[in-house]
Amino acid sequence: MSEYILSKEYFVQVIRDLIVLAENRKDYFTELDSAIGDGDHGMNLSIGFREVDKHIEEWKELSVKDLYKNVGTALLDKVGGSSGPLYGSFFMKFGLPIKKKGSEEGATFSEFIEMMETGVAIIKKRGKSTTGEKTMLDTFVPAVETLRAEYEGGTSAKEAMAKAVEAGKEGLESTRNIVATKGRAMRLGERAIGHLDPGAASAAEILEVFYNDMPD
Ligand code: ADP
Ligand code: MG
């Protein structure tokens, strides 16, 4: 069996689809953030990815590492709030495991797993946060853990990502029952119970884009 490779085009397509996602789901993410935050999560992502949209035709010529670094920098520079710096750092560091590759090269699936883990590790570090605090990490952490465990256990690449997306969605669902200890929802205490965390919701949909764009 030949190795499963994610092409350079895959990584460009993911960014194009994230631009569409940020636009299409703006109202939904904002609605979630209106319940337990300040109602700007959808707007924040939309502002960030509109900036990315302005540059994608130029940036798509860069290596995966540099393309994602530019996406991250745009989110970091243009988006206020906590999600800008956190998602910004995720994308900025995402390509580091393949930093030696040329502008036409993609990644092996093992490298892709490392890229995801690198991105999630930087969110933890920047956010000084972990799972169980009602944040995007409740989606990301179980997703990347499942991704590695499934792939190392012999599950095929795309199926392992499907399982990761499922684990992320379960993590998202779990945020309903968590009292926030990070982010704005902290101030609500028990009143945040029953509500999904907006960042955990956007993280789940971002992971789904990474999954949907994978070749079979
Ligand atoms: P803000 O909270 O500044 O208005 P957003 O509304 O765009 O920014 O994003 C809110 C989301 O950011 C939260 O739902 C949560 O998932 C995430 N978040 C906030 N603080 C942290 C943190 N310290 N660690 C991880 N994620 C966080
Ligand atoms: Mg907000």
Side-chain angles (χ1 to χ4, degrees):
M1 205 177 89
S2 62
E3 196 174 11
Y4 185 93
I5 299 285
L6 290 166
S7 67
K8 164 71 187 297
E9 288 66 39
Y10 163 78
F11 289 101
V12 174
Q13 191 57 43
V14 165
I15 299 300
R16 292 194 193 283
D17 290 335
L18 291 178
I19 293 168
V20 174
L21 174 77
E23 222 42 54
N24 289 349
R25 302 296 277 164
K26 184 167 116 190
D27 292 346
Y28 175 62
F29 297 142
T30 283
E31 187 188 311
L32 293 179
D33 197 32
S34 300
I36 62 165
D38 56 353
D40 64 354
H41 188 53
M43 184 54 80
N44 284 341
L45 286 179
S46 154
I47 289 171
F49 280 98
R50 277 187 191 181
E51 182 63 22
V52 173
D53 193 25
K54 286 188 200 156
H55 301 282
I56 183 69
E57 284 311 310
E58 180 194 331
W59 294 350
K60 74 178 200 304
E61 308 300 335
L62 301 170
S63 66
V64 172
K65 180 200 123 222
D66 287 339
L67 162 62
Y68 278 65
K69 185 168 147 244
N70 285 0
V71 169
T73 306
L75 299 182
L76 206 69
D77 287 351
K78 300 285 168 183
V79 184
S82 24
S83 67
L86 294 171
Y87 276 134
S89 309
F90 174 88
F91 287 102
M92 279 181 77
K93 303 289 177 189
F94 186 77
L96 280 186
I98 57 162
K99 63 172 184 285
K100 295 206 175 73
K101 298 210 175 186
S103 59
E104 296 305 318
E105 283 182 274
T108 65
F109 201 72
S110 301
E111 287 168 338
F112 173 75
I113 295 173
E114 280 177 52
M115 293 157 85
M116 281 287 173
E117 288 172 340
T118 302
V120 173
I122 192 75
I123 296 176
K124 280 184 173 170
K125 190 169 166 208
R126 292 284 305 239
K128 298 183 177 60
S129 46
T130 186
T131 48
E133 297 187 299
K134 204 177 183 92
T135 73
M136 54 178 71
L137 289 173
D138 289 310
T139 298
F140 274 135
V141 171
V144 296
E145 284 176 2
T146 300
L147 183 62
R148 177 168 289 285
E150 287 289 338
Y151 193 58
E152 287 183 353
T155 308
S156 68
K158 190 163 185 184
E159 189 53 28
M161 189 61 191
K163 295 267 202 295
V165 167
E166 259 333 291
K169 283 184 185 164
E170 280 168 29
L172 162 62
E173 258 326 296
S174 80
T175 64
R176 270 192 210 284
N177 302 315
I178 301 175
V179 174
T181 50
K182 287 279 157 36
R184 288 182 201 277
M186 253 172 86
R187 291 177 300 194
L188 268 82
E190 294 283 335
R191 279 178 294 148
I193 295 288
H195 297 283
L196 291 175
D197 175 65
S202 58
E205 298 200 21
I206 288 172
L207 288 174
E208 206 155 23
V209 167
F210 276 98
Y211 166 71
N212 285 333
D213 286 341
M214 282 181 180
D216 291 319

